[in-house]
Structures are given as C-alpha cells and as structure tokens.
Amino acid sequence: MNPVWIADCLRMEDVDVVEYPGWRTRGHGDFADVRGVMVHHTGSDRATAASIAEGRPDLRGPLSQLHVARDGTVTVVAAGVAWHAGAGRYPWLPTNGGNRHTIGIECANSGTSPTAPHRENWPDAQYSALIRCCAAIHRRLGLPVTRTIGHREYAGRSQGKWDPGAIDMNVLREDVGRRLGDVSPAVLLERGSTGQLVAELQRRLKHAYRSYAGDLAIDGVFGPATEAAVREFQRRTPGLDVDGVVGPLTAAALRLTVVPSAQASPQ
Ligand SMILES: [Zn+2]
C-alpha cells in the first residue's frame, strides 16, 4: 500500500523530482491506505529535505513523504508512514489516524503568520510545484480535490496547528482542480455525498445485488448502509480496492453513468 509510485507519478506531472537516498524503504511502518494529501509549512524558509528525512532529536524522521523547496524542487523523502499529522480529526480519517492515511507535503516556508493573505511569501515555483504534487497524487488515486487538506484543518483544534500559513486551502483546492482539468473526471461518491447519482448508485446496488443490498433505501444519501453495500460489491469484484468509496474503477464496474452536475462533495 505504500506509494512507491510517487516519484514516477510526480515526473508525469512535470515536477522537478529529487529522490532522497533510501526513500522507498524509509518510514515508520506501512500505510493502511492513502486517502488524501496533507499540506504543511516547515516553519522555516530554509528547512532542507534532509531535515525532513532524518527528523530531529525529539522526533525521528521521516517527517513527511515530500519536501517542496522554494525553487520548486520536490524531494521524495519516504514511501512509508511519516510523522507529519499527529493528533487530529477529519471526516474521512480515523481520529488521530492522519499519518497512516495521508501523504504529507512539507513546504520550506516560514508560513508568515496565521492571518497572512494567500500566497504571501510563497514563490511561484514553490506554489506551482505544490499544486502539481497534489494533482499528481489525486490523478493517480482518482481522488477528488476535497481530499487535499491543510494540517490546520485536521489538527487546528487538537494541536493549535495553523499550517500551511498564508495558504487559503479553498483557493489551493481550486487550483489543484484546475490543474486536474478535463483529464480526470474526478468521479467520486463517498460517505456524505448526496444527489441523483447517489440514488442511481443505490438503485444499481439494490436491484443487481439483492443478496446484500436488497433493503437499501433509494434516498440519494450516501450513508452507512450504502457504504456497506459498496464495500461488499468491491469485496466481490476482483481488482477493486475495498474502501467504500465509489471512484472511477468502482463506478465503471457498476456501470454507473456519471453526470458531472449530479456529483456532490463530501462533508
Ligand atoms: Zn504541519
């Protein structure tokens, strides 16, 4: 499950990649699964990739999977789990489980201040590389842009984190979406999604897979029962990850016709 594909996948997105020695086997154990991306600032404009790989006396590295320098160079530091997220919560993550489910991107940046306007002290090269890293991972995994979050969105309450500073995460997500453009349809239905397409998903599961989805309500709301039925479908279908999320592969296997306007964002 570790993203050993990440260096190639970044190069495909025109990222200037440096592979830090030993990155493929570096980590604090293995990923459970990769559900998204978490963006950070290091706290210093001069923080090096080596400092992220090796860590510090009180916290052993790796401290994230990727390091983005101010000139846009991206160093792949680790493919295994890194200590970047810590305690926190977010709807599609288990509580305090960010490290085992998200790829961390540490950007060499002071963060300026918690109230600084978007992109103050973020050079074009660095910001653009960050957008391309996020897009590359989303493209590879078929994840929607909502799966890129900032450390403060996960750990603001629990740890008082405010990184990435001077980054408006909604603007960043829009920029990632623009980068993904028309290449990826970003097909995704998951817990919290609502609308026509969810109803169509429920109809297909209910009628085609009566043995385990027979009593599913067709209400257009992707709740626990719908997720359970999706998981069962994935378990019975070779080649699909059992994640309870309807991405491009699962949608295709269900022959679910995607109407972009019917897509809904997760909570
Ligand atoms: Zn952070």
Side-chain angles (χ1 to χ4, degrees):
M1 276 318 226
N2 286 344
V4 291
W5 38 261
I6 200 159
D8 292 340
C9 148
L10 294 180
R11 277 189 285 263
M12 292 279 286
E13 203 74 36
D14 301 321
V15 173
D16 187 4
V17 177
V18 171
E19 299 185 44
Y20 195 86
W23 72 270
R24 284 169 200 278
T25 53
R26 182 173 291 104
H28 302 288
D30 296 333
F31 274 89
D33 57 21
V34 179
R35 298 184 187 178
V37 175
M38 195 178 291
V39 179
H40 306 258
H41 69 236
T42 56
S44 156
D45 288 355
R46 286 183 300 275
T48 62
S51 72
I52 300 302
E54 310 302 337
R56 40 179 211 252
D58 61 316
L59 196 61
R60 195 164 54 86
L63 304 183
S64 71
Q65 284 74 28
L66 304 179
H67 169 274
V68 183
R70 296 177 70 75
D71 68 357
T73 304
V74 175
T75 305
V76 182
V77 158
V81 167
W83 299 152
H84 67 92
R89 57 199 307 156
Y90 205 75
W92 41 266
L93 287 170
T95 300
N96 305 332
N99 286 328
R100 290 175 60 76
H101 298 280
T102 59
I103 291 177
I105 305 181
E106 282 284 1
C107 302
N109 198 297
S110 70
T112 311
S113 83
T115 54
H118 184 61
R119 289 208 44 202
E120 184 169 309
N121 188 38
W122 283 80
D124 287 349
Q126 185 176 37
Y127 185 74
S128 164
L130 171 60
I131 296 298
R132 278 175 281 142
C133 287
C134 297
I137 295 164
H138 285 268
R139 214 188 289 287
R140 165 80 194 204
L141 297 175
L143 299 172
V145 293
T146 48
R147 291 300 185 95
T148 280
I149 58 175
H151 197 192
R152 67 171 175 271
E153 293 176 301
Y154 165 82
R157 212 166 307 163
S158 59
Q159 301 183 63
K161 294 288 183 186
W162 56 277
D163 64 318
I167 291 292
D168 179 326
M169 286 304 299
N170 288 319
V171 175
L172 182 142
R173 281 185 281 265
E174 270 174 41
D175 289 340
V176 173
R178 205 166 295 128
R179 172 82 200 182
L180 286 166
D182 52 5
V183 180
S184 164
V187 180
L188 188 112
L189 295 174
E190 62 187 339
R191 189 82 83 92
S193 297
T194 56
Q196 287 287 316
L197 194 57
V198 175
E200 184 54 30
L201 165 70
Q202 291 167 329
R203 212 167 285 130
R204 296 199 69 86
L205 287 166
K206 186 183 173 81
H207 294 304
Y209 306 99
R210 252 165 256 195
S211 61
Y212 56 90
D215 54 359
L216 193 63
I218 300 174
D219 58 4
V221 178
F222 197 122
T226 304
E227 185 179 299
V230 168
R231 280 182 188 277
E232 191 55 39
F233 171 75
Q234 291 170 328
R235 207 167 283 131
R236 294 168 187 231
T237 309
L240 295 182
D241 287 341
V242 182
D243 58 5
V245 172
V246 180
L249 295 179
T250 300
L254 280 161
R255 282 189 279 151
L256 191 64
T257 308
V258 175
V259 183
S261 61
Q263 283 183 42
S265 43
Q267 292 165 336

